[in-house]
Amino acid sequence: RSARPPGVRGLGKTRRAVGLWGLMLVSSIAIYGSHAPLLTRCKVDGRIPFSSTSVVVLVELTKLVFSLVFLLTWDRELLGVTVSWHHVAPFALSALLYAANNNLVVHMQLFMDPSTYQILSNLKIVSTALLYSLFLRQRLSMRKWLALILLVAAGVSYSCGGLQDPGSPSKMQLHITLVGLLLILVYCLISGLSAVYTEAILKTQALPLSLQNLFLYFFGVLLNLIGYFWSSTEGSFLEGFSSWVLVIVVSQALNGLIMSVVMKHSSNITRLFVISCSILVNALLSVTLFNLQLTLLFFVAVSCIGLAVHLYYGVT
């Protein structure tokens, strides 16, 4: 029996790689889009009954465990490799930036309403693209900048009222203080910086991703545990947890691992498009689970995303 020609085997591998890449991106879109509806499912009497810091610690711990499993399963020959502090230390700063941003999200809510936060947080698309272009020296054409501006417009449109509860007034009341405005600008800056800095580390180091993730999530667990004990109030670590919280922890951990693959082998720009496309999943779940209605602004957002994908990637 004759073996398949090398070209045919290579084509099969390429198709499998493309299929796996597509599956990861679609999974990430689904996880991003389902996060808010899952949080709503967790609410008791209209409030979140658990500590958000506890969830972040468990997400980081789950990512650390998954990374260790991947290392022991597929990269066992690396267990004896010599690693210096030059390889490990950069991930401490990356984890610190992520931890700072997670805490900022909580504190910002004191100085603005949720709608204002949702609208203004779309500015992190611009900050990420600017820092990506500046620090990674990736020149973006005017066509690509226009695509990214359309992503911002899509996010703002959706946040301004892409979904509507038939039983509540449709008029949106926005409120933000000067401190809140400064915090949202710092948040967007740190969000872009943490993402671009992490991408730079992952790409410049000649280490496998599973080992890099091990370093990153070790510091993530450590710093978030310190943050938990620093700000902990009365109540146990797992107080208010339910099966829905477990789903959130596992899904967010998987999404974090997928995003590390995206940053290692693609870019943060791909991550921005994934987050924007998650609007579709969020809307579908919100309509199905909570009987919300789509508005004209939702279709404006979808149109902006479609045009942005076409402009940036040339996809028709």
Side-chain angles (χ1 to χ4, degrees), residues 142-156:
M142 288 299 297
R143 179 187 174 100
K144 291 186 174 182
W145 274 113
L146 178 57
L148 294 171
I149 295 300
L150 283 170
L151 287 188
V152 176
V156 171

Side-chain angles (χ1 to χ4, degrees), residues 125-203:
I125 295 175
V126 177
S127 65
T128 302
L130 283 171
L131 293 169
Y132 172 80
S133 179
L134 179 64
F135 290 115
L136 298 183
R137 296 177 182 176
Q138 299 291 328
R139 181 177 174 82
L140 300 177
S141 64
M142 288 299 297
R143 179 187 174 100
K144 291 186 174 182
W145 274 113
L146 178 57
L148 294 171
I149 295 300
L150 283 170
L151 287 188
V152 176
V156 171
S157 298
Y158 189 71
S159 301
C160 282
L163 293 170
Q164 180 180 325
D165 186 348
S168 65
S170 58
K171 187 177 180 181
M172 177 180 290
Q173 299 289 338
L174 301 180
H175 168 72
I176 185 171
T177 65
L178 179 59
V179 174
L181 183 60
L182 292 174
L183 285 177
I184 196 76
L185 293 177
V186 172
Y187 164 76
C188 291
L189 178 63
I190 296 180
S191 178
L193 184 61
S194 58
V196 172
Y197 175 73
T198 303
E199 179 182 341
I201 300 172
L202 294 176
K203 287 182 174 177

Side-chain angles (χ1 to χ4, degrees), residues 53 56-57 60-61 64 88-103 215-231:
T53 312
V56 173
V57 171
E60 293 298 305
L61 183 60
L64 179 65
V88 181
F91 291 99
L93 178 56
S94 182
L96 182 62
L97 289 170
Y98 281 122
N101 237 32
N102 289 333
N103 283 281
F215 301 149
L216 176 61
Y217 301 137
F218 167 77
F219 287 114
V221 171
L222 180 63
L223 290 171
N224 283 288
L225 268 177
I226 293 173
Y228 170 78
F229 288 114
W230 182 272
S231 61

Side-chain angles (χ1 to χ4, degrees), residues 3-16:
R4 286 185 301 172
V8 175
R9 290 198 298 269
L11 182 60
K13 289 182 179 179
T14 301
R15 285 177 176 172
R16 285 195 297 272

Side-chain angles (χ1 to χ4, degrees), residues 245-281:
V245 183
L246 178 62
V247 172
I248 289 175
V249 169
V250 174
S251 63
Q252 291 302 305
L254 289 174
N255 200 36
L257 293 169
I258 292 172
M259 284 299 102
S260 67
V261 176
V262 169
M263 286 191 282
K264 177 83 169 181
H265 300 290
S266 183
S267 71
N268 267 291
I269 303 300
T270 302
R271 183 181 66 89
L272 295 178
F273 274 90
V274 167
I275 294 172
S276 295
C277 289
S278 68
I279 287 174
L280 304 175
V281 177

